[in-house]
């Protein structure tokens, strides 16, 4: 095996991922110690290109990081003015009084934003503090030192042939070495997953749970637009098929974000999250809102939903996990950006103290303590039972008991359920096809609902076709030999981008095809494949979706 020789660059701190967690860590480091050398790497073609979220953000963490953000021309200008909750039936809706909702569910004081644009702005703030930011530089490999500690990452490798060998225009990339390395790759990051395995970070923790979030941006009739309105729904079309719900957020410029979240612990392998989303838009309330409008963007991503019980050990020799890499989403609030920022602040403070003491490549235990005992823990611990209750008792029972649990916790500081635990992983929760009926979905009408391939074009996704496929199979025989007979190969349904197909040529055996060019980097396949046979790895830098305003 030929050893690839690479140049290296040394930094105090290397940060993988230019989301809110990674950028906040970089800003905090330079605020406290301007002479530190800090670099941020991002696999997107630009900062924000791979960022997708609802998003309604709680500014509490931003108030700590940048107390003057309101005077800094931040793209955070649409305060929540109206907060609605509905239970949907197929033809109607029931308004749930806001007074029924625990205080933590109140969105007044929060803002509707494009999180991608917020990250672009945070990157400008970081660069103003002389943080080096390299978009289009995928971190593809972890560098370890002789003691097995994390010492850096390999980034900027380009030009491999489809078989993985160096091509004619091959660039070997560089080793970016740091005294500490922060991993802020988002949910189910490929390097974070390797670290969890190597250092047994999830040992003694509940399995991480995930949801698939799908989102479209629409420009609608100005007469129907109500800037600052937030609407959440649950019920139809999912009903008892799966946990999840929708969001409709009225941004400025007559735009609305229409989104749908499906919890990936569903059993029925015939369920198609993408088509459930398309079905949702045909509800009379939603169809009337979107009538006469046009969809201008589409995307999807996985979000961590395990909460308090599933947070792994977040430190290891030489580095830490931040944000969604650590699973810090508050599920009932449908928010994680504030906790991502808090995690970046906490990690930066721990690293600064360690570096000032002359330490390097050890464990930043102060970060672990602050994450669990500071504002992140205070946000996640009170809602820890909401997800397990929904999983055990379904829509009506789970929501009722979850609401009771949140009320009790907020009023008396005590949960009657103590701490409930998650059961199976999302992959293991998948049932056999023989135990379920195939779900018949309506045909897309091209006005409210769209086929997968058409919608993927609105994610502006692109991959260099001559590179190796970044979606690898541990055993190529499993999709047809195991998943097809047992589960009717659910990859062809759970993928929101049409990456996976089962081809049935006439007079030939079925064949599994991977259209990796369509991949929007949601990582659902890595999570939900019942055989855990698909491994998502990062493609070369700059590839993937190019979200303009998500």
């Amino acid at each position: 095996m030929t050893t690839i020789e690479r140049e290296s660059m040394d930094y105090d701190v290397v940060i993988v991922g230019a989301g809110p967690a990674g950028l906040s860590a970089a800003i905090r480091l330079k605020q406290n110690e301007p002479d530190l050398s800090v670099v941020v790497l991002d696999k997107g073609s630009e900062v924000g290109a791979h960022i997708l979220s609802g998003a309604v953000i709680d500014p509490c963490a931003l108030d700590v990081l940048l107390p003057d953000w309101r005077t800094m021309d931040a793209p955070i200008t649409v305060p929540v003015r109206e907060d609605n909750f509905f239970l949907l039936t197929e033809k109607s809706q029931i308004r749930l009084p806001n007074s029924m909702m625990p205080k933590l569910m109140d969105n007044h004081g929060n803002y509707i934003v494009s999180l991608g644009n917020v990250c672009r702005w945070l990157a400008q703030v970081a660069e103003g503090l002389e943080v080096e930011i390299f978009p289009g530089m995928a971190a593809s490999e972890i560098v370890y030192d002789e003691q097995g500690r994390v010492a850096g990452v390999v980034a900027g490798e380009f030009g491999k042939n489809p078989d993985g060998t160096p091509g004619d225009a091959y660039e070997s990339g560089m080793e970016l070495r740091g005294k500490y390395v922060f991993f802020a790759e988002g949910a189910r990051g490929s390097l974070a997953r390797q670290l969890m395995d190597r250092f047994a970070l999830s040992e003694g923790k509940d399995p991480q749970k995930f949801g698939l979030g799908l989102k479209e941006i629409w420009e609608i009739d100005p007469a129907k637009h109500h800037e600052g309105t937030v609407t959440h729904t649950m019920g139809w079309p999912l009903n008892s098929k799966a946990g999840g719900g929708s969001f409709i957020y009225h941004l400025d410029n007559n735009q609305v974000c229409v989104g749908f979240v499906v919890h990936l612990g569903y059993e029925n392998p015939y369920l198609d999250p993408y088509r459930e989303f398309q079905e949702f838009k045909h509800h009379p309330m939603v169809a009337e809102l979107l009538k006469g409008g046009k969809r201008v963007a589409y995307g999807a991503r996985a979000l961590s939903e395990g909460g308090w019980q599933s947070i792994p050990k977040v430190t290891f020799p030489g580095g830490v996990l931040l944000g969604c890499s650590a699973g810090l989403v508050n599920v009932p609030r449908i928010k994680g950006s504030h906790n991502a920022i808090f995690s970046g602040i906490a990690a930066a403070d721990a690293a600064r103290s360690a570096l000032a003491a002359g330490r390097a490549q050890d464990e930043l235990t102060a970060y672990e303590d602050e994450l669990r005992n500071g504002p992140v823990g205070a946000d996640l611990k009170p809602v820890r039972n909401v997800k397990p209750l929904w999983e055990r008792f379904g829509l009506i029972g789970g929501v009722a008991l979850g609401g009771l649990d949140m009320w009790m916790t907020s009023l008396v500081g005590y949960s009657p359920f103590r701490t409930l635990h998650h059961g199976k992983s999302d992959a293991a929760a998948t049932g056999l096809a023989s135990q379920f009926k195939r779900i018949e979905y309506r045909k897309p009408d091209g006005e409210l609902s769209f086929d997968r391939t058409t919608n993927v074009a609105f994610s502006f996704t692109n991959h260099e076709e001559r590179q190796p496929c970044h979606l690898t199979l541990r055993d190529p025989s499993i999709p047809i030999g195991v998943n097809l007979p047992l589960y009717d190969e659910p990859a062809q349904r759970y993928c929101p981008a049409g990456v996976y197909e089962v081809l049935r040529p006439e007079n030939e055996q079925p064949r599994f095809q991977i259209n990796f060019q369509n991949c929007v980097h949601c990582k659902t396949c890595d999570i939900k494949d019942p055989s855990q046979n698909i491994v998502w790895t990062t493609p070369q830098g700059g590839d993937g979706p190019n979200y303009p305003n998500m």
Side-chain angles (χ1 to χ4, degrees), residues 23 27 47 72-75 117-131 133:
L23 291 169
I27 290 168
V47 172
M72 296 174 65
D73 200 27
N117 288 340
V118 171
C119 288
R120 291 179 176 97
W121 168 71
L122 286 172
Q124 293 174 358
V125 174
E127 288 178 325
L129 296 170
E130 298 186 347
V131 173
I133 301 178

Side-chain angles (χ1 to χ4, degrees), residues 72-291:
M72 296 174 65
D73 200 27
I76 307 173
T77 59
V78 181
V80 174
R81 296 187 173 94
E82 185 177 349
D83 212 357
N84 303 312
F85 299 87
F86 290 96
L87 176 64
L88 300 187
T89 64
E90 185 173 359
K91 300 296 184 182
S92 63
Q93 62 275 351
I94 301 168
R95 174 75 184 271
L96 303 179
N98 289 53
S99 58
M100 289 177 54
M101 302 296 166
K103 178 63 178 174
L104 63 87
M105 301 291 287
D106 185 1
N107 275 306
H108 290 89
N110 299 330
Y111 292 80
I112 304 172
V113 301
S114 157
L115 191 61
N117 288 340
V118 171
C119 288
R120 291 179 176 97
W121 168 71
L122 286 172
Q124 293 174 358
V125 174
E127 288 178 325
L129 296 170
E130 298 186 347
V131 173
E132 294 183 41
I133 301 178
F134 297 144
M137 292 280 281
S140 55
E141 186 179 332
I142 301 169
V143 177
Y144 299 95
D145 67 10
E146 295 80 4
Q147 287 77 44
R149 303 174 299 185
V150 173
V153 293
V154 173
E157 192 173 21
F158 292 92
K160 284 186 176 180
N161 293 318
D163 64 0
T165 59
D168 293 338
Y170 176 69
E171 298 177 29
S172 62
M174 297 188 67
E175 288 187 1
L176 288 95
R177 290 178 169 265
K179 296 173 183 174
Y180 295 102
V181 184
F182 294 179
F183 293 85
E185 299 175 289
R188 198 71 164 195
S190 57
L191 299 185
R193 182 174 178 177
Q194 293 175 36
L195 291 165
M196 288 184 189
D197 291 342
R198 182 182 180 100
F199 295 107
L201 301 181
S202 294
E203 188 173 304
K205 311 296 182 182
D206 282 11
Q208 185 59 265
K209 306 292 285 184
F210 295 91
L212 173 59
L214 306 109
K215 177 182 174 181
E216 294 172 356
I217 298 178
W218 283 68
E219 291 179 357
I220 64 169
D221 180 348
K224 302 176 184 178
H225 184 256
H226 303 283
E227 183 176 307
T229 297
V230 166
T231 298
H232 291 107
T233 79
M234 52 190 173
W236 189 88
L238 287 175
N239 294 327
S240 61
K241 291 182 287 187
S246 82
F247 59 87
I248 302 173
Y249 302 154
H250 289 245
L251 280 160
D252 49 5
N253 301 318
N254 299 317
Q255 289 192 335
V256 294
C257 303
V258 183
F260 204 76
V261 176
V262 177
H263 302 169
L264 289 177
Y266 62 83
E267 294 182 345
N268 189 343
Y270 292 118
L271 188 132
D272 187 324
Y274 175 83
R275 297 188 73 174
E276 295 285 339
F277 175 36
Q278 299 306 304
E279 190 82 1
F280 160 75
K281 290 181 292 174
H282 285 279
H283 188 276
M285 181 182 77
V286 185
E288 177 58 31
L289 175 69
L290 301 181
K291 183 179 178 181

Side-chain angles (χ1 to χ4, degrees), residues 418-483:
R418 298 190 179 181
T419 297
L420 300 175
H421 293 281
H422 303 300
K424 302 176 181 177
S425 70
D426 292 333
T430 310
L432 298 175
S434 61
Q435 298 172 340
F436 297 89
K437 292 183 179 180
R438 190 177 297 274
I439 301 173
E440 299 297 332
Y441 293 98
R442 79 177 76 198
K443 186 176 180 180
D445 66 1
E447 295 180 4
L448 287 174
S449 51
F450 311 97
D451 65 78
R452 248 175 274 250
T453 304
T454 299
N455 235 3
V456 169
F458 285 80
S459 69
F460 311 103
T461 294
N462 182 64
H463 291 87
E464 166 56 55
E465 296 186 9
R466 291 170 292 183
Q467 66 181 301
C469 176
H470 65 281
L471 303 160
T472 61
L473 302 178
R474 290 190 170 97
D475 182 344
S477 71
I478 283 179
I480 301 302
V482 176
N483 284 357

